[in-house]
Amino acid sequence: MIELISSDEMILEMLHICDVSNKESQNFEREFQEQSNDFLFHSLRQLEINPENVYFLNLAGATYSNLGNQKEAIKLLQKAITLNPEEKALWNNLSLAQYRKGDIQQAIVNYRKGLELEQKHGSLYMRTIQYAMQGKTYEESLHLLLEEYPNDFRVLTYLAHYYLKNKKYLKAIVYNYKLLEVLPDLFTAWHNISESYYELGEITKAIQALNRALDINPTTHASLMALAIIYVKQQQYDQAYPLLIEARELYPEDSCIFFHLAFVAANQSNREDAVSNLLKCLSLAPEMITHILEQPVFNDYLSDLVT
């Protein structure tokens, strides 16, 4: 057997890279937080039904770690390992949580255990590389992986994201629905289905999908705002307004919410609300003046913004 990584220093470098990658993801802040909260919400719900589900113990543990709660992450991952000690991902995630907690020596030991299991069983990542070396495209590799790992949450997520990113909306819808067959409460899948339907001009279906997302998690920022903005674009201001008010209560530092509240108020000739929301928007993000100036509906209110 060829040892993949021989030194403690190289293992620490790999852990450092994983940790930095997570912190870079957090630069997207709300998108990162909502996806993480989605995974955590769904995992904990499933663990209430079956506390010994290794898949969801791992997902919840890894998510807790990414969100900074290493104590809870380690507890869940150690429980998962007692149930399935041959799963490489469990050891890797436990190692990363311990590294972030500052338990360096134990992190190295557990990372090395993960490497031993990778050599023994292989991994999804390595299979992707092998397919690429055979000349397969990323899309082809994912479909071959799906044949190897039917209904695998990770592969279905990659496929759904790939098709959405590449504007292949019908296929994105198909694979997000397949993902929902595996994880019925994954509200981000409903959100992505909505985005795909919207891009295809299927507005009613887009609204229905967003409502399904909000049924699962009523506080998700992305779905609240997406639904409100659809109603704004359809000039259905009475439907948009309560959603924007709810979003404002949940996310009072989001300048975009106040921008859209001002837009609704201006279109309903409510000068007082339009001006107050524009001022709040600019107090939170002065650069929003560019977007305000682009909207003719605000032209009559610009003089009120000068103090």
Side-chain angles (χ1 to χ4, degrees), residues 25-26 39 45 84 107 130 184 209 222 248 251 256 294:
S25 296
Q26 292 184 54
F39 291 158
R45 176 178 285 189
N84 185 5
Q130 289 169 8
R248 184 187 66 186
Y251 307 99
C256 290
E294 289 173 349

Side-chain angles (χ1 to χ4, degrees), residues 71-299:
K71 181 179 179 180
E72 193 65 26
I74 290 169
K75 182 177 76 174
L76 291 172
L77 291 165
Q78 287 176 333
K79 180 178 179 179
I81 285 171
T82 63
L83 295 166
N84 185 5
E86 292 295 299
E87 176 56 52
K88 161 190 170 289
L90 299 176
W91 293 96
N92 285 358
N93 288 332
L94 176 60
S95 173
L96 184 56
Q98 290 168 328
Y99 172 82
R100 289 167 173 164
K101 188 172 179 285
D103 191 353
I104 303 302
Q105 289 307 312
Q106 195 58 50
I108 292 171
V109 170
N110 288 329
Y111 194 89
R112 186 168 276 116
K113 177 65 177 178
L115 290 171
E116 292 171 1
L117 290 169
E118 182 168 325
Q119 288 182 287
K120 181 179 178 181
H121 299 301
S123 71
L124 198 66
Y125 175 69
M126 291 303 297
R127 295 296 293 137
T128 307
I129 292 176
Q130 289 169 8
Y131 284 130
M133 292 175 68
Q134 294 170 14
K136 305 296 183 183
T137 66
Y138 181 60
E139 181 182 4
E140 290 170 337
S141 298
L142 290 177
H143 281 285
L144 289 168
L145 284 171
L146 195 59
E147 292 178 11
E148 290 188 55
Y149 305 92
N151 297 322
D152 186 278
F153 164 81
R154 299 161 299 172
V155 182
L156 289 170
T157 299
Y158 298 151
L159 277 165
H161 182 264
Y162 171 82
Y163 286 126
L164 182 60
K165 182 179 178 181
N166 287 278
K167 302 181 180 181
K168 298 181 180 181
Y169 299 117
L170 289 174
K171 288 187 176 181
I173 291 168
V174 168
Y175 283 97
N176 273 296
Y177 273 120
K178 287 182 180 292
L179 187 53
L180 285 166
E181 292 175 9
V182 179
L183 301 177
D185 293 327
L186 196 66
F187 64 81
T188 49
W190 283 112
H191 182 92
N192 292 335
I193 287 170
S194 171
E195 182 178 341
S196 298
Y197 275 131
Y198 184 82
E199 294 295 339
L200 291 169
E202 298 274 3
I203 306 302
T204 300
K205 290 182 179 180
I207 291 172
Q208 290 171 345
L210 283 173
N211 279 320
R212 292 293 299 274
L214 290 168
D215 285 342
I216 297 168
N217 187 349
T219 65
T220 172
H221 175 276
S223 297
L224 270 174
M225 287 303 294
L227 186 55
I229 290 169
I230 287 177
Y231 283 132
V232 168
K233 289 182 176 179
Q234 298 298 305
Q235 298 182 9
Q236 295 176 291
Y237 302 124
D238 289 341
Q239 286 89 342
Y241 184 75
L243 292 167
L244 290 168
I245 293 298
E246 185 177 356
R248 184 187 66 186
E249 296 301 313
L250 292 166
Y251 307 99
E253 301 302 313
D254 186 343
S255 61
C256 290
I257 295 172
F258 292 94
F259 173 87
H260 285 97
L261 279 168
F263 188 88
V264 168
N267 277 284
Q268 294 180 325
S269 301
N270 186 333
R271 189 177 196 88
E272 182 178 352
D273 278 0
V275 172
S276 64
N277 281 299
L278 285 173
L279 288 171
K280 181 62 176 178
C281 172
L282 290 171
S283 72
L284 291 169
E287 66 275 11
M288 288 292 290
I289 188 62
T290 301
H291 299 289
I292 292 170
L293 293 173
E294 289 173 349
Q295 298 297 329
V297 72
F298 292 137
N299 288 346

Side-chain angles (χ1 to χ4, degrees), residues 10-20 92 95-97 99-100 104 107-108 111:
M10 292 182 71
I11 289 176
L12 287 173
E13 181 61 23
M14 294 297 294
L15 289 167
H16 174 71
I17 289 170
C18 291
D19 193 35
V20 168
N92 285 358
S95 173
L96 184 56
Y99 172 82
R100 289 167 173 164
I104 303 302
I108 292 171
Y111 194 89

